[in-house]
Amino acid sequence: MQSRRFLGIHPLIGTKHNRKPIQYQQRSPYYWWWAYLRRNDDYLKCCARGGTGKLARLYKDFGDVRDDDFAAWWGGSVQRGSYLFAEQLSTDLMVEVKDWAHFSEIKEAGNFVLLAFNLDIGRRKLQKKLADFLEKHHTGRRGRVALGRVKSTARYPLYRNYSQHNLRVMLETYDAWYMNQQLPKSERLTLWEIGESIKLVPSAMTRKSDTQAERTNKRNVMTMAVSRYVRQAKRIIANTAKGQFPNSAA
């Protein structure tokens, strides 16, 4: 069975009876795509209706995300992760180019390159030249892919490059803010207090020994950090309904 290629890090799940710790799943942007989609109220309502309504088309692909088990959502008999996010398999390993128009056609179908071989040269020397070319130009190497420079064939490509750390911290901040919003107004924390409750900016944690000016400055820093993360998280959550992630554009 041909392995599927992903532009983002594949989540490591393990076997049914020997699951990897959740941290291995969270290394993948696809885990966070699922996690952010689970915060989209419109999509959750669609799930509650059995996949009907304005997001019905998205539901056909992403399914019900209300269960906490990412591994079950990702794999199983459906193999949803591969269906949604893997690059489409190319059946052609090598194509003989008939003319320039033909090359333009196959260039659109995959990551092909045009080479011309002088068949008067010995086979062994040509094989050496080809090996040297692949070593220098083939992009299938370890390292982070610059998504803006790669043409993805996935049904749902990643919208831009990402930071796993930022996606986690951003969602943690959003969740803390959201839970705070559910409280009666008289019991709600301020933004800086929310930030301190999750130690969002360690250097901005207030201390008893702080002067009034230091305390005010730290609270302002924490307030701005919480506000920024919540604002970006809201946008990313909203854009999951468009099949885009991570997109923090308004």
Side-chain angles (χ1 to χ4, degrees):
M1 183 178 182
Q2 188 169 357
S3 61
R4 305 300 299 275
R5 185 172 71 93
F6 296 79
L7 291 186
I9 298 172
H10 189 287
L12 296 178
I13 294 172
T15 64
K16 181 179 180 180
H17 301 292
N18 186 23
R19 286 281 170 83
K20 293 279 189 182
I22 189 67
Q23 293 87 343
Y24 286 85
Q25 300 174 25
Q26 292 177 346
R27 293 175 182 177
S28 171
Y30 308 117
Y31 172 91
W32 296 107
W33 194 323
W34 169 81
Y36 276 76
L37 182 60
R38 282 163 47 82
R39 272 72 172 180
N40 189 296
D41 287 337
D42 288 337
Y43 193 76
L44 292 179
K45 290 175 183 176
C46 181
C47 292
R49 293 191 298 265
T52 61
K54 65 180 182 179
L55 297 180
R57 181 176 297 181
L58 190 70
Y59 181 89
K60 287 182 179 179
D61 287 338
F62 282 80
D64 196 334
V65 298
R66 292 175 296 171
D67 193 292
D68 291 338
D69 192 345
F70 169 77
W73 176 84
W74 174 270
S77 59
V78 179
Q79 290 296 305
R80 182 176 282 110
S82 294
Y83 175 80
L84 296 176
F85 307 123
E87 298 301 295
Q88 299 300 300
L89 294 173
S90 175
T91 57
D92 295 319
L93 297 179
M94 184 171 63
V95 178
E96 182 180 356
V97 178
K98 300 173 182 177
D99 51 43
W100 289 112
H102 182 217
F103 177 65
S104 298
E105 178 183 329
I106 64 172
K107 185 72 173 175
E108 289 299 314
N111 188 19
F112 287 89
V113 65
L114 180 65
L115 295 176
F117 291 97
N118 183 350
L119 296 181
D120 291 332
I121 303 296
R123 179 179 297 181
R124 182 171 298 179
K125 190 170 185 179
L126 286 178
Q127 289 173 333
K128 174 65 167 57
K129 289 292 185 182
L130 178 58
D132 291 343
F133 177 88
L134 292 175
E135 177 65 26
K136 183 176 180 180
H137 297 285
H138 197 288
T139 58
R141 301 173 181 172
R142 292 185 179 183
R144 188 166 188 180
V145 179
L147 298 178
R149 293 174 13 206
V150 176
K151 181 179 178 181
S152 175
T153 60
R155 289 180 174 86
Y156 291 89
L158 290 166
Y159 190 81
R160 60 173 172 81
N161 282 86
Y162 58 90
S163 161
Q164 179 269 336
H165 173 76
N166 281 349
L167 290 175
R168 179 183 59 79
V169 172
M170 193 184 304
L171 195 58
E172 181 183 0
T173 306
Y174 173 84
D175 285 344
W177 169 85
Y178 183 85
M179 293 300 294
N180 187 64
Q181 290 297 107
Q182 311 312 307
L183 299 174
K185 284 188 177 182
S186 61
E187 299 178 20
R188 292 178 189 173
L189 302 177
T190 62
L191 291 183
W192 73 264
E193 288 173 323
I194 293 174
E196 284 212 339
S197 72
I198 60 175
K199 298 179 173 58
L200 180 59
V201 184
S203 62
M205 298 289 290
T206 56
R207 301 176 180 177
K208 291 182 179 180
S209 59
D210 288 340
T211 65
Q212 183 60 45
E214 290 173 332
R215 189 175 296 112
T216 299
N217 181 64
K218 286 182 176 180
R219 288 178 178 179
N220 288 339
V221 169
M222 196 70 83
T223 295
M224 288 188 291
V226 172
S227 178
R228 181 177 68 255
Y229 275 129
V230 170
R231 182 172 62 253
Q232 291 177 341
K234 284 181 176 180
R235 292 174 179 175
I236 292 177
I237 290 168
N239 285 323
T240 58
K242 302 177 184 178
Q244 298 174 354
F245 182 86
N247 180 7
S248 57

